Amino acid sequence: MKDVMQLVERRKQEFARLPLCQFLEDETIDPRQRLAWAPCLAPFALGFGDLNKYALRHEPTDDPIQQLINRHTYEDDHHWVWFLEDLEKLGLDLSLKFSDAMRFFWGNQTYKTRQVCQQIAMATYGKEPIVVLAAIEAIEATGNVVLSRTAKAAEELRRITQQNYRYFGQHHFCVETGHAMGTDDVEDLLETIELNETQRSQAYELVELVFDVFTDCLNELMDSMTQQRAESPYAKSGQKILEMQRQEEKVSDMPELERV
Ligand SMILES: [Fe+2]
């Protein structure tokens, strides 16, 4: 497993150089602005609970690695509650018509973010627990990169608003160790596990997939920022996104000739 962990570390370094990560680090930008993409993360933040509960967790099991994974999923399956709490604290809990909220949630602008949990669920389906554990290590590495940066922005904001942000702030960052949780010294355990050829190639493939889907997600979130302003980010981006969505719907409703 050691070489798989080295791949995770290499991809983690690349991941930390993505534009959204640099944007989050930029202290010259208002911390509210740096977190203004938060509503666009909703498909991932909520879907991640399901991924843990219904795709990664398998009970009952005698397999010690699956038991470790199961313990990990109990830690990670409810963080979406903190996410919804933070949306409100960030002033991003805007009221929308239900159908508009669905357009936003299932629109083209959040497609890559929606894909993260779906792709991971499909790629891990039926794989041996040890291979799935490699995917979890990759997921945790991406979480560590993003949460370490959102925690700094949330801390700046906390000094202004006196609010604690449980999802984007220190609370979440401290809970997530950057590795599979629920077992002491998991890093040492991972180093000692020997993989056979098939397991190694599947683990490599899964690690690459995890970083690829999260990279697409972060780039999509960064794109959403081009439509936002600090004062009322979701209002601006949400409205803009819905306008674009409606435009697209109108275009696809038109007969072929009119579109030309
Ligand atoms: Fe989490």
Side-chain angles (χ1 to χ4, degrees):
M1 192 74 149
K2 205 171 179 177
D3 43 0
V4 177
M5 298 308 294
Q6 282 166 354
L7 173 64
V8 171
E9 194 48 46
R10 198 164 63 242
R11 290 289 314 248
K12 185 180 176 183
Q13 305 294 333
E14 283 172 28
F15 190 73
R17 291 195 290 273
L18 289 176
L20 186 74
C21 294
Q22 291 169 7
F23 179 72
L24 280 167
E25 287 166 13
D26 190 344
E27 291 179 13
T28 64
I29 303 170
D30 184 310
R32 267 189 205 88
Q33 173 82 6
R34 271 141 70 200
L35 295 170
W37 44 268
C40 301
L41 185 69
F44 166 74
L46 279 86
F48 196 58
D50 279 356
L51 179 72
N52 278 280
K53 275 190 231 169
Y54 307 120
L56 300 178
R57 185 182 303 159
H58 294 289
E59 293 176 319
T61 179
D62 296 331
D63 185 309
I65 300 291
Q66 185 60 51
Q67 286 169 352
L68 186 158
I69 292 173
N70 290 347
R71 282 197 294 279
H72 174 85
T73 64
Y74 280 101
E75 180 49 58
D76 245 351
D77 70 1
H78 58 280
H79 295 175
W80 60 271
V81 176
W82 306 340
F83 171 77
L84 294 182
E85 238 179 60
D86 279 8
L87 282 190
E88 195 178 345
K89 289 175 184 168
L90 290 165
L92 300 170
D93 196 10
L94 195 78
S95 285
L96 285 180
K97 262 175 70 182
F98 185 77
S99 53
D100 282 345
M102 292 302 100
R103 281 189 179 91
F104 176 72
F105 204 87
W106 263 279
N108 290 339
Q109 289 76 17
T110 54
Y111 171 69
K112 296 289 183 189
T113 305
R114 259 189 338 267
Q115 283 292 301
V116 173
C117 295
Q118 284 185 22
Q119 293 290 332
I120 295 173
M122 287 195 289
T124 52
Y125 183 78
K127 296 284 190 306
E128 287 178 69
I130 189 60
V131 176
V132 175
L133 189 60
I136 291 177
E137 281 298 302
I139 294 169
E140 292 308 306
T142 63
N144 186 265
V145 167
V146 176
L147 292 173
S148 62
R149 286 159 177 81
T150 60
K152 282 189 188 136
E155 176 55 25
E156 283 174 46
L157 201 52
R158 191 192 63 79
R159 284 189 225 120
I160 302 166
T161 64
Q162 310 303 320
Q163 298 256 37
N164 262 322
Y165 303 91
R166 288 209 291 176
Y167 191 87
F168 292 106
Q170 281 294 333
H171 181 78
H172 198 174
F173 179 57
C174 292
V175 167
E176 308 269 344
T177 57
H179 295 281
M181 296 168 284
T183 303
D184 293 336
D185 303 325
V186 70
E187 288 171 82
D188 296 342
L189 173 76
L190 292 168
E191 299 256 320
T192 58
I193 293 172
E194 288 289 333
L195 300 177
N196 64 34
E197 259 323 298
T198 311
Q199 290 168 333
R200 180 175 294 107
S201 84
Q202 288 182 346
Y204 263 81
E205 229 172 85
L206 267 179
V207 167
E208 299 279 15
L209 176 127
V210 167
F211 278 101
D212 288 349
V213 291
F214 274 106
T215 297
D216 287 348
C217 168
L218 258 63
N219 289 336
E220 184 174 77
L221 294 171
M222 191 65 215
D223 286 348
S224 76
M225 292 304 301
T226 57
Q227 301 154 354
Q228 301 197 6
R229 288 213 199 126
E231 321 89 78
S232 181
Y234 183 44
K236 298 285 176 198
S237 79
Q239 287 310 320
K240 179 86 183 165
I241 285 168
L242 288 171
E243 272 165 32
M244 288 166 66
Q245 195 78 23
R246 289 202 185 99
Q247 270 319 104
E248 277 170 23
E249 282 173 17
K250 266 189 213 154
V251 170
S252 61
D253 282 349
M254 276 190 233
E256 209 57 48
L257 273 175
E258 279 183 48
R259 263 189 257 172
V260 186

